[in-house]
Amino acid sequence: MSFDFPLSHSQLASLAAQFPTPFYLYDEAAIRSTVRYFYQSFSIFPKFREYFAVKALPNPYILKILESEGCGGDCSSLPELLLCEKSGITGRRIMFTSNDTPAQEFVQAARLGAIINLDDITHIDFLKEALGGTLPDTICFRYNPGPLKKGGNAIIGKPEEAKYGLTKPQMLEAYRRCKAEGVRHFGIHTMVASNELNPDFFADTARLVFELALEVQKECGVNIEFADLGGGVGIPYRAGQERVDLAYVAREIKKLYDALIVPAGLDPMEICLECGRPVTGPHGWLITRAIHTKSIYREYIGVDASMADLMRPGMYGAYHEITVSGKENEPKSCVYDVSGSLCENCDKFAIQRELPEIAVGDLLIIHDAGAHGRAMGFNYNGKLRAGEILLRSDGSFKEIRRRETVEDYFATLDFSGLDNFS
């Protein structure tokens, strides 16, 4: 795995002079290429839809790019629904996955004609009440297979320990109840992985979902029309790791589809994914500048980004490759902790990392930050979140989100009454 970057050192230096660091940079052409790879790989199915996980990179310019490539949006909040709407993604191109959802968010999802994917059996009555006494014409349920599905990691947890989804008995009861309520179209959903690199994991997930779809057909008299197999496709954050072969994944799932779905008369069943990380993750970088060096018990490089800009290393211990712009071919002769200015000791982008000798002023490129990067930013310690720059397919640059200002940080506060407050 090589950690490519689309700009030369001089191009990046010029960009950093125009847009002060830290900032995120995304590559439009690479994102489009990856989406097309998804659709080409799964073109062996009668119907396929990628619902991009909006939480991974909630920017309307990115969503507009994905919309133009045929993607839908996987949403789980009111702002995400509105982002999709403003980006031209509406109707059944939205998968709204409930997770302890407020009533007004169900109402908004229904207004947009989204597919509503319920996370718990009690949400049937909750949704019905929120929508004035009727259920949508189409409904979906999220399946938690519990110990039937092995695996899991620190991000999403083992299925039996996760808060998400319905058990198999609850799934059967849910379909029966909704059929009796007059719902006419049904889907099935699961999401049991995050950042998984084993391609066979996804075929095994499809097998569990397809087998349950057959059981629902037999026990409930309900034909499943679409199966959302979730996301969880990982990316190779470390050297030596391999990109998931989506064409192989699609072929293995197609074997199960032909063996289980077709004989049951459920063909054509639409196959759906809701990936975020593999679509934009490898095509986004956090650009930061070295502003301090420190020599105590370890050697430190202090940068102008912090965990508030990219929390994955501090939160999960996640690894992100770092290169020093202009020094890519220099020997990695130094060992550093690369740290930010947050008042937390976990605010480190790298720990004991071998890197070229770094001087104050050097630009550092933190790779594979295009998903769950800027989206997970926060304001603890009064940190102002980074802006976002898009490298267009024609080689031009567009600022698609400006850096936050102090005025933004204070926007929800009212200072006018402080003089008379005691």
Side-chain angles (χ1 to χ4, degrees), residues 51-89:
Y51 290 95
F52 177 72
V54 176
K55 63 181 177 287
L57 184 47
N59 188 294
Y61 289 90
I62 300 298
L63 294 179
K64 191 64 179 178
I65 290 169
L66 298 174
E67 184 275 333
S68 72
E69 295 290 343
C71 291
D74 163 45
C75 301
S76 57
S77 71
L78 181 61
E80 289 181 353
L81 287 168
L82 296 176
L83 277 172
C84 277
E85 182 182 24
K86 291 179 181 297
S87 305
I89 302 172

Side-chain angles (χ1 to χ4, degrees), residues 148-215:
L148 295 175
K149 183 64 178 175
K150 304 302 180 184
N153 55 34
I155 298 176
I156 199 168
K158 297 178 181 179
E160 64 268 33
E161 297 174 358
K163 67 174 183 174
Y164 309 105
L166 289 74
T167 66
K168 181 184 285 189
Q170 289 175 335
M171 291 287 284
L172 296 175
E173 181 184 348
Y175 286 113
R176 289 192 192 100
R177 286 180 57 187
C178 286
K179 181 184 178 183
E181 290 273 3
V183 176
R184 297 190 300 160
H185 304 287
F186 294 92
I188 190 170
H189 171 282
T190 196
M191 176 70 180
V192 289
S194 183
N195 198 33
E196 177 61 56
L197 292 174
N198 177 6
D200 293 314
F201 184 97
F202 305 104
D204 182 63
T205 299
R207 177 184 57 80
L208 285 174
V209 171
F210 291 166
E211 288 176 348
L212 181 54
L214 299 187
E215 194 167 347

Side-chain angles (χ1 to χ4, degrees), residues 26 36-37 56 125 140 198 228 270 286 332 363 386 403:
Y26 309 116
R36 291 169 188 174
Y37 172 51
D125 290 335
C140 185
N198 177 6
D228 187 333
E270 184 173 23
L286 176 58
K332 297 181 178 181
L363 291 169
R403 179 171 176 78

Side-chain angles (χ1 to χ4, degrees), residues 9 31 33 36 43 52 54 86 96 127 151 154 214 247 256 307 330 367 369 379 394 397:
H9 173 62
I31 291 171
S33 177
R36 291 169 188 174
S43 63
F52 177 72
V54 176
K86 291 179 181 297
F96 182 71
L127 175 63
L214 299 187
L256 294 166
M307 184 180 171
E330 293 189 10
H367 292 258
N379 290 125
D394 63 5
F397 296 97

